[in-house]
Amino acid sequence: MSAISQISVSALGDSLSVSMRKDLAAHFSLLVADVMKYGNEGLKILIERGWMEQPPQPIDRNKFYKS
């Protein structure tokens, strides 16, 4: 799931970079956002079902310094 989303975003980014048409650039930008949202939802499902571990999260520095 993650690899498919990454490849899709990469391909859309490449298409966006070489397209000279502004209307297609707008569509590609919207598609990138949709693909990323779709990939995030798929990742959440994989984590909920225990098929994948939750990826490392950034440290909450405020909470870290208080302890």
Side-chain angles (χ1 to χ4, degrees), residues 28-63:
F28 288 149
S29 298
L30 293 174
L31 280 173
V32 167
D34 287 342
V35 167
M36 291 177 71
K37 191 182 332 177
Y38 179 77
N40 189 27
E41 292 299 317
L43 182 62
K44 287 180 184 178
I45 291 171
L46 292 174
I47 292 170
E48 286 173 6
R49 295 187 178 182
W51 297 341
M52 180 177 220
E53 293 181 5
Q54 186 169 3
Q57 302 294 313
I59 297 172
D60 182 6
R61 302 238 180 240
N62 294 328
K63 185 178 177 183

Side-chain angles (χ1 to χ4, degrees), residues 4-20:
I4 293 171
S5 295
Q6 292 171 358
I7 291 169
S8 299
V9 169
S10 176
L12 287 168
D14 290 342
S15 301
L16 180 63
S17 69
V18 297
S19 176
M20 299 297 267

